[in-house]
Amino acid sequence: MTPQARYDAVVVGAGFAGLYMLHRLRGLGLSVRVFETGDGVGGTWYWNRYPGARCDVESMQYSYSFSPELEQEWEWTERYPSQPEILRYLEHVADRFDLRRDIRFGTRVTRAAYDETEHVWRVETDRGDRVAARHLVTAVGCLSAARVPDFPGAASFRGPSHHTGRWPHEGVDLTGLRVAVIGTGSSGIQSIPVIAEQAAHVTVFQRTPNYSVPAWNRPLEPEYQSWVKANYPGLRRAMRESHTGLLDPGNPGSALEAGDEKRAREFEARWAKGGVTFLGAYGDIGISSEANEHAAEFVRAKIREIVADPEVAEKLSPRNHPLGTKRICVDTGYYATFNRPDVTLVDVREDPIVEITPTGVRTAAAEHPADVIVYATGYDAMTGPLLAIDITGKGGLSLRRKWEAGPRTYLGLMTAGFPNLFTVTGPGSPSVLSNMIVSIEQHVEWIADCVARLRAGGVAAIDADPLAEDAWMAHVNEIAGQTLFVRADSWYLGANIPGKPRVFMPYVGGVGVYREKCDQVAAAGYEGFVLSS
Ligand code: NA7
């Protein structure tokens, strides 16, 4: 038997989080092994190669801040970065910081078990690796467990079918084909206009219409890029202290107190600017149904303005959830695409999908022929990628068991009973409600500092105190309950996965407030954690 390789730390995943985690831990002089399922770096941006894939956070804000040199040398080309550009950026980062030599690609971690006698994690992979490490960091992404619904007959379909998050690397030529797209979240909304340009016909199967705001994407103005680069330190600080990790601080005023005219002006200005900061028009949009309805109706009016057929416009108009309670989408020509004669919208609440046939999609009312099916059907968000690994902590406690009724963490960083296991942007942290890069950097830096202090102090293990975890979970739930978020059947709540517990997973308190809390905990000698030598 070969002796088990030993590392100071194992990191799972080589996306934005895993790459930076590796860099920081290596900077502390630790031996680190990263395991990555993909054959290259990039995580989300390695997998999501569907037509039109683009980030909805602006380029100048969707980048690492840890290296001023990197920040200055990288040139973004568009207001919103496309998937290929983000992937190029991450490949550059991997090369620049010589990260690849510690990453094992094409390797999925299948199991991780905590060995209490030695205070190490024993990690296994699908390639037969057996390694041990004092610290285990999951950097597995929040939207990486792709989900294809279990439609009857799906296997009988004769043509190719692709989930947007598992798009073939060589691309898919849709020229002249009939394409069925199922799902109208961000991935559907971004890809449908691009697919429609190529395909002979597109049939869009929509279960829930979403609110979408124009991106007004364009080449990045060189003057703007230079200005941001010259002012990065202050701008990054503002992002870290903000609510969402974005530069737009949002208007704290009330939509209810603003008169009709002022409100319309504010919404128009934000629509004209484009992007997710539409949500920041008024401070009460996220908490008052009445305030929210003003913003929602503004978007519906825009849909009616853009879409020529009033019946189609009505079908595209979201009415069953408040604006922003499912992730708001940012599009390029989405609504206008439905004015094309070769694009058909099917409302599957009215006319449900019955089965996939060898030649298309059959709904209760009709057969929709298709040569290709695109599943833009989303992810088992946040917990999916973690629970895909068989993780067992102290006393053989399995994470799947512990989280049966929903994820439980202290600060979204650790879960009691699983010592030395850290989760980057895990449930219970701002994570998907924020600019992910800001949240990733904050977690990575907190974890690296923690590991350094534990090692310096001869501490063998850190674990969350169950009481601190209970209190944190109560707080996470309480503040989510004060918002409209809990009113939508969203993936934030696990509602898109049949049987998944309905628990609001991310922390809505804001990245600035959250960072302060994490820093206070560390400054107080890791309050709420149990340290053992
Ligand atoms: P999303 O946002 O989860 O969207 C998935 C879409 O697929 C959504 O419209 C779903 O409708 C639809 N869906 C899921 N299951 C079905 C079935 N069974 N039948 C019909 N339609 C279905 O995933 P995306 O990939 O678009 O975006 C993920 C995130 O990436 C996004 O939020 C950004 O953060 C970036 P539903 O709304 O559940 O009724």
Side-chain angles (χ1 to χ4, degrees):
M1 227 169 85
T2 46
Q4 194 175 47
R6 256 183 192 264
Y7 298 95
D8 293 319
V10 160
V11 176
V12 190
F16 266 100
L19 290 177
Y20 184 35
M21 195 74 246
L22 167 61
H23 179 62
R24 280 306 276 237
L25 292 175
R26 225 163 56 178
L28 296 173
L30 269 62
S31 61
V32 187
R33 166 57 78 209
V34 178
F35 291 110
E36 164 58 52
T37 308
D39 288 326
V41 299
T44 293
W45 301 106
Y46 172 88
W47 296 105
N48 277 271
R49 300 179 190 233
Y50 60 84
R54 192 178 289 286
C55 185
D56 56 10
V57 173
E58 294 188 26
S59 303
M60 297 308 290
Q61 300 175 47
Y62 196 78
S63 54
Y64 290 120
S65 70
F66 70 82
S67 161
E69 297 78 23
L70 170 68
E71 216 171 47
Q72 294 300 322
E73 76 201 9
W74 185 262
E75 295 282 324
W76 293 101
T77 67
E78 292 178 275
R79 179 184 185 188
Y80 292 98
S82 66
Q83 174 273 331
E85 187 162 19
I86 302 173
L87 188 58
R88 275 200 300 281
Y89 171 75
L90 287 172
E91 284 170 348
H92 169 75
V93 169
D95 293 334
R96 193 188 195 289
F97 299 98
D98 187 22
L99 300 176
R100 291 179 208 268
R101 65 184 154 89
D102 289 322
I103 308 173
R104 194 157 153 78
F105 292 106
T107 308
R108 177 183 290 278
V109 170
T110 51
R111 212 165 167 260
Y114 187 64
D115 176 337
E116 286 174 65
T117 45
E118 293 198 39
H119 298 298
V120 292
W121 280 93
R122 301 203 179 277
V123 178
E124 299 177 14
T125 75
D126 62 352
R127 297 264 298 260
D129 302 273
R130 300 279 179 277
V131 305
R134 172 61 47 95
H135 299 285
L136 176 61
V137 184
T138 60
V140 290
C142 297
L143 296 162
S144 51
R147 179 175 175 270
V148 175
D150 196 8
F151 293 117
S156 73
F157 185 64
R158 273 197 222 119
S161 51
H162 305 290
H163 186 279
T164 47
R166 292 289 176 274
W167 203 258
H169 288 195
E170 63 282 10
V172 183
D173 185 5
L174 299 170
T175 316
L177 300 178
R178 295 163 304 174
V179 183
V181 181
I182 305 178
T184 52
S186 280
S187 305
I189 283 179
Q190 286 188 339
S191 60
I192 288 161
V194 184
I195 293 173
E197 292 283 322
Q198 305 164 15
H201 192 272
V202 183
T203 311
V204 176
F205 296 86
Q206 169 193 274
R207 186 164 70 181
T208 309
N210 259 307
Y211 299 91
S212 189
V213 176
W216 308 124
N217 187 42
R218 55 178 180 264
L220 202 55
E221 299 84 352
E223 305 74 36
Y224 177 69
Q225 178 142 213
S226 308
W227 178 83
V228 173
K229 285 186 176 179
N231 292 283
Y232 251 144
L235 296 172
R236 298 286 200 190
R237 199 175 322 116
M239 287 160 70
R240 288 186 199 113
E241 289 168 4
S242 72
H243 189 78
T244 55
L246 297 169
L247 271 180
D248 186 304
N251 169 13
S254 159
L256 297 177
E257 282 163 23
D260 286 348
E261 223 174 281
K262 193 165 166 222
R263 225 175 14 236
R265 259 202 321 273
E266 179 68 26
F267 290 147
E268 278 296 350
R270 293 207 173 236
W271 186 270
K273 187 170 171 241
V276 294
T277 54
F278 183 81
L279 285 173
Y282 290 101
D284 48 3
I285 287 178
I287 46 177
S288 149
S289 310
E290 216 187 316
N292 191 285
E293 183 52 26
H294 284 296
E297 187 43 37
F298 176 86
V299 175
R300 289 184 212 117
K302 286 288 180 195
I303 298 172
R304 290 192 292 272
E305 219 174 276
I306 300 168
V307 179
D309 180 334
E311 249 179 67
V312 176
E314 183 49 33
K315 274 189 193 169
L316 287 167
S317 297
R319 295 198 185 269
N320 80 343
H321 64 284
L323 175 130
T325 55
K326 284 165 96 92
R327 171 85 171 208
I328 196 165
C329 300
V330 178
D331 72 276
T332 298
Y334 176 64
Y335 294 121
T337 298
F338 292 90
N339 291 334
R340 297 177 65 116
D342 51 5
V343 174
T344 311
L345 179 65
V346 178
D347 177 345
V348 304
R349 282 189 202 266
E350 209 176 84
D351 179 16
I353 296 175
V354 176
E355 62 170 346
I356 309 283
T357 68
T359 53
V361 180
R362 198 163 69 77
T363 59
E367 170 101 34
H368 302 273
D371 304 306
V372 180
I373 299 178
V374 175
Y375 289 104
T377 43
Y379 298 86
D380 183 355
M382 302 192 81
T383 52
L386 289 167
L387 298 180
I389 307 170
D390 177 16
I391 300 176
T392 50
K394 274 161 75 176
L397 173 65
S398 107
L399 189 64
R400 289 174 188 154
R401 187 77 194 274
K402 180 178 172 187
W403 286 8
E404 239 166 24
R408 299 192 64 73
T409 69
Y410 178 40
L411 298 172
L413 279 161
M414 297 196 88
T415 183
F418 297 79
N420 294 349
L421 168 65
F422 298 95
T423 309
V424 182
T425 63
S429 73
S431 185
V432 290
L433 294 181
S434 68
N435 175 350
M436 285 302 287
I437 313 308
V438 173
S439 289
I440 283 171
E441 288 196 322
Q442 185 245 335
H443 266 189
V444 166
E445 287 160 15
W446 192 96
I447 293 166
D449 288 352
C450 175
V451 168
R453 280 175 61 184
L454 299 183
R455 287 169 67 87
V459 176
I462 181 169
D463 194 2
D465 177 340
L467 292 177
E469 181 168 291
D470 289 348
W472 181 251
M473 285 292 95
H475 174 59
V476 168
N477 285 323
E478 190 198 333
I479 58 170
Q482 291 163 5
T483 70
L484 298 175
F485 274 117
V486 289
R487 306 257 187 101
D489 288 334
S490 68
W491 57 256
Y492 298 136
L493 268 159
N496 62 328
I497 304 293
K500 190 165 171 173
R502 196 179 169 91
V503 171
F504 192 80
M505 295 184 282
Y507 175 64
V508 298
V511 303
V513 170
Y514 172 79
R515 172 187 298 269
E516 229 171 85
K517 170 76 185 164
C518 292
D519 288 349
Q520 280 164 7
V521 162
Y526 296 100
E527 194 178 17
F529 289 99
V530 184
L531 311 187
S532 42
S533 8

